[in-house]
Amino acid sequence: MDKITKWLAEHDISEVECLVPDMSGNARGKFTPTDKFLTQDSRLPESILVQTVTGDYVDEHNELVDPADTDMLLVPDPDAVRLNPWANEPTAQIIHDCYTRDGQPHPISTRNILKFVLAKYEAMGWKPIVAPEVEFYLVKRNLDPDEKLSAPVGRSGRTEKTRQSYSIDAANEYEPIIEDMYDFSEAQGLDVDTLIHESGTAQMEINFLHGDPLKLADQVFTFKRTVRETALRHGIYATFMAKPMEEEPGSALHIHQSVVDSKTGKNIFVDDEGRENQRFMHFIGGMQRYTPGFISFFAPNVNSYRRFTPEIAAPTSLHWGYDNRTTGLRVPDSSPQAKRLENRFPGADCNPYLAIATSLACGYLGMVNEIEPTPPYQGDCSSEPISLPRTQEHALSLLLECKEAEEMFGEKFVRAWSAIKRDEYEEFNRVISSWEREYLLLNV
């Protein structure tokens, strides 16, 4: 706590946001006056870890957490302390780790799951490096869930009507919002790199500098809060839904990943001559072999599977290729030291801790089990048959058959995740859509 105490004093902090990422990757926690934060333990009910996205508790609640609804202990991470730049008074936001009452890392905490996977790499003498790319849409305020989303008005007084990938002028339509977003990001120490206008109307992509997986997951978690807050200050919304609009492309969270030797810092995906080695092939093979069983962590919501559609810049199969953006796994052109694999499966709606943990887990299993990949795909992969699950229910059935998920994440976490996501699916399945009323009401 010495490091945190000093930081709070230097910044004259009067209030602390004690934050914990929930299953969806959103912030849960409490506001605490600084003097109370420094003198009292922070706690939260562990039941918040088994709530669905609708706020309900799963039927298996009493089997997953203590039926008495006891507290878990929160321990602040001194490397995850940041200013809250949009607060009205000097406020800190501190991400905490969750522990059980007997002092063990809580098995259902998503941040702990990533730490569990990183520990497996550390035991092998490996250090993963990741660089996330996060896509999102800016949309008009939407107070009626039955109303379709649309792009907000830009500086010109008009809304976008056409797709303008990489357009500087289209991005500049929202310059006041983007400038505030960058200012907030800088104030929080986020390693935000470049911004581009993506192919959807008012769709943006932010790239992060490569670095430590846990720190980057913390940054993506924080960045999502930041973008939503920035948009609200300008009278609009920012959404990270995987597929928010019917006629527009989905939003992804692409993950570039490499692995270096912990002692030498050398990229383990290349040999001494800088050529790709078998370990890199096995990493790719692991991504191909195990992604189907783990896919619900890349596509965690019912809406996620609408993104896996041909011809709208999203992967639909398990192929990989060299500098091929139509494949789910892409090897970008790079120097030998920067040799990496881009995972294009995760949607922007995923929990960044779980998406990064899952991506690294699949690659790890491929390396330790020496899984060979298929030959690299050449050409347009979107014409291939769809081999990814198209529904959340299918994805969860594959997870139950994936024993490697329990090996990497723990049996209790997999049970909790499955219970939460099945409840969400059943809740969604009770809703009768407008499509059904329009085409089935009088025609069947």
Side-chain angles (χ1 to χ4, degrees), residues 320-336:
W320 72 280
Y322 289 101
D323 201 21
N324 189 337
R325 286 185 171 85
T326 69
T327 57
L329 301 168
R330 169 179 171 256
V331 180
D333 290 335
S334 69
S335 66

Side-chain angles (χ1 to χ4, degrees), residues 33-264:
T34 301
D35 59 337
K36 301 293 185 184
F37 172 80
L38 293 173
T39 57
Q40 299 178 0
D41 289 337
S42 296
R43 299 173 183 271
L44 282 175
E46 62 176 354
S47 57
I48 65 169
L49 300 180
V50 289
Q51 274 186 292
T52 67
V53 74
T54 62
D56 297 320
Y57 294 99
V58 297
D59 295 336
E60 294 91 336
H61 175 278
N62 291 351
E63 301 170 19
L64 298 169
V65 296
D66 195 310
D69 197 18
T70 57
D71 285 340
M72 55 187 176
L73 181 65
L74 306 186
V75 177
D77 186 338
D79 293 326
V81 179
R82 293 180 170 85
L83 284 173
N84 181 336
W86 55 82
N88 293 326
E89 57 182 271
T91 302
Q93 49 180 328
I94 305 179
I95 300 174
H96 288 58
D97 284 315
C98 302
Y99 287 83
T100 60
R101 286 185 298 171
D102 59 358
Q104 298 300 310
H106 202 291
I108 307 179
S109 160
T110 60
R111 195 170 192 260
N112 283 340
I113 296 302
L114 176 53
K115 295 174 82 171
F116 295 159
V117 173
L118 294 178
K120 292 182 181 294
Y121 273 83
E122 185 178 8
M124 299 294 290
W126 300 333
K127 182 180 179 181
I129 305 294
V130 302
E133 299 173 350
V134 186
E135 298 172 350
F136 60 93
Y137 276 93
L138 299 175
V139 297
K140 291 180 181 177
R141 281 183 179 266
N142 181 277
L143 303 180
D144 180 1
D146 289 327
E147 183 181 336
K148 292 183 178 181
L149 300 178
S150 59
V153 174
R155 290 190 306 152
S156 66
R158 307 179 68 181
T159 59
E160 286 188 35
K161 300 298 183 183
T162 60
R163 295 178 183 172
Q164 302 189 61
S165 303
Y166 295 92
S167 170
I168 298 297
D169 292 335
N172 281 337
E173 278 286 292
Y174 306 103
E175 182 180 13
I177 302 170
I178 293 170
E179 287 300 319
D180 283 353
M181 181 195 71
Y182 268 111
D183 289 343
F184 284 159
S185 296
E186 183 179 357
Q188 296 172 96
L190 303 183
D191 294 326
V192 170
D193 190 13
T194 57
L195 176 141
I196 64 168
H197 190 294
E198 262 292 349
S199 56
T201 55
Q203 185 187 33
M204 308 293 168
E205 176 185 287
I206 282 283
N207 298 335
F208 286 80
L209 297 174
H210 63 275
D212 175 77
L214 183 62
K215 291 182 178 180
L216 265 301
D218 285 343
Q219 292 193 41
V220 173
F221 166 77
T222 304
F223 177 75
K224 284 187 171 185
R225 287 190 76 202
T226 301
V227 175
R228 292 192 190 101
E229 178 63 30
T230 306
L232 287 174
R233 284 176 168 252
H234 289 267
I236 63 174
Y237 292 162
T239 180
F240 294 89
M241 283 179 63
K243 180 70 171 168
M245 289 175 273
E246 295 174 13
E247 304 301 327
E248 300 295 337
S251 291
L253 196 164
H254 299 153
I255 303 172
H256 291 250
Q257 50 201 335
S258 60
V259 183
V260 300
D261 185 280
S262 299
K263 293 181 179 179
T264 67

